Amino acid sequence: MTELPIVVLPVGSDDDVLDACLAAIDSATPVGTRVWLADDARSGPRGHAIIERWLQRTALKADYTRRQRSIGEVAHLDEVLAACGAADVAVLAADALPLPGWLERLVGCLASDGAIASATPWCNAGETAAWPRIGEIAAMPSDPSRLARATAQMPPTHPELPAAVGHAVLLRGNARERAGGLDTASYGSWYAALIDLSLRLSGLGWRNVLCQSAFVARRGEGNALDGDMDRLAVRWPDWHARVAGFLMRDPLREARERLDRLVATIGPPPPQPDLFAPAHADAQAESDDDTAPATATRMS
């Protein structure tokens, strides 16, 4: 059986988003999966309490680290990826809400072709990987269980993307190492650093693809920091034209329409809890003074 990758979640500063994200990860990810909550000194006392309770309850092999001082989004994530060595790593956005089967299908996508370096699932706010409309931010899925079941029936054709998209991406470890990791000197945002990494991987002969059978929702698109897109344009002069051409040609139109039909015709889902409901509603009822720090960090 193929070993599941490490799931990395960069912890954000929005406690409610963190709570919902952890609940979705718990509901949608196989028991025993290694999960690393990586905190670049962004969470506060309530966030610590949410993480601590989640660590005590989850059936995942979860760990939490928190830096004493922030070093920036890209530098921190590059540090985390480097610590993972040659292991495959699935990176989730801080507001990601994965649907059931997301990780297993991303793994299957990577295993299907040794030339695939990055696999990106569908997302309601996934830019080039967006569903139901390319390049648009749609509302959160109203019936995530139905959507997950429909997505699972999509054919594993793995079409090419211009670059991986930051809502969720599975990165092949040895490809990431060969490309030299993230460029921490040029970019301040994961949004831009992932595009740059994808383009370097493509230049080395690897593929960045859409995993049509997986879906990870989120509340909005990622954003670049000031200057990041200008630096991308200098290093990759054809990048903007490449993305514009992809949006105009819309090679994923038939795939999105097929997923539309599957969602419309799939049978009723089996009874199960709300995938996106916060798992720790009881924590909200407790005193705001209950802000014990989370587990000890591994990074200084």
Side-chain angles (χ1 to χ4, degrees):
M1 182 177 177
T2 303
E3 183 178 22
L4 290 173
I6 301 168
V7 175
V8 169
L9 176 69
V11 174
S13 58
D14 188 316
D15 298 337
D16 293 331
V17 166
L18 172 64
D19 197 24
C21 179
L22 293 178
I25 292 173
D26 234 6
S27 297
T29 308
V31 171
T33 299
R34 295 167 293 172
V35 177
W36 185 347
L37 310 183
D39 187 349
D40 186 34
R42 297 198 63 193
S43 65
R46 183 168 175 265
H48 293 177
I50 289 170
I51 291 170
E52 180 69 21
R53 294 186 184 95
W54 184 80
L55 290 171
Q56 292 171 356
R57 299 172 184 177
T58 184
L60 305 174
K61 294 180 180 178
D63 194 10
Y64 170 60
T65 61
R66 188 182 192 277
R67 294 193 60 88
Q68 296 302 309
R69 293 173 298 277
S70 173
I71 58 173
E73 183 174 286
V74 177
H76 182 230
L77 189 50
D78 187 63
E79 184 177 69
V80 170
L81 292 174
C84 293
D88 298 340
V89 178
V91 182
L92 290 171
D95 62 345
L97 297 166
L99 272 60
W102 74 282
L103 188 60
E104 303 97 303
R105 292 175 199 134
L106 285 174
V107 169
C109 179
L110 221 63
S112 70
D113 182 353
I116 294 176
S118 74
T120 300
W122 294 108
C123 183
N124 59 297
E127 302 181 358
T128 55
W131 176 89
R133 293 173 298 278
I134 191 171
E136 296 186 17
I137 302 175
M140 292 285 290
S142 59
D143 191 341
S145 176
R146 173 181 287 270
L147 179 55
R149 285 156 48 80
T151 308
Q153 296 188 19
M154 289 290 288
T157 54
H158 313 318
E160 202 88 18
L161 291 173
V165 189
H167 57 278
V169 59
L170 176 57
L171 298 169
R172 189 183 295 275
N174 62 342
R176 188 186 71 245
E177 288 189 324
R178 281 189 57 192
L182 303 181
D183 184 346
T184 61
S186 301
Y187 307 105
S189 65
W190 166 236
Y191 180 95
L194 178 59
I195 294 173
D196 177 77
L197 175 62
S198 299
L199 295 177
R200 283 186 280 126
L201 288 166
S202 180
L204 292 170
W206 300 89
R207 301 179 62 215
N208 302 291
V209 306
L210 172 70
C211 178
Q212 297 184 98
S213 59
F215 201 105
V216 173
R218 73 179 306 187
R219 290 173 170 80
E221 290 180 339
N223 293 298
L225 293 183
D226 288 345
D228 275 358
M229 300 312 289
D230 293 335
R231 285 184 281 274
L232 267 177
V234 170
R235 178 172 295 177
W236 308 100
D238 67 337
W239 165 244
H240 293 296
R242 186 187 307 188
V243 174
F246 186 91
L247 294 173
M248 291 176 64
R249 293 192 312 274
D250 194 6
L252 301 179
R253 180 176 179 177
E254 289 186 6
R256 293 198 314 277
E257 291 175 346
R258 180 167 185 164
L259 183 53
D260 287 342
R261 292 192 296 271
L262 285 169
V263 171
T265 59
I266 199 78
Q272 65 181 49
D274 186 350
L275 296 176
F276 294 162
H280 313 300
D282 56 325
Q284 314 243 344
E286 296 181 13
S287 170
D288 289 339
D289 293 331
D290 184 10
T291 55
T295 56
T297 64
R298 291 188 309 199
M299 298 181 188
S300 60

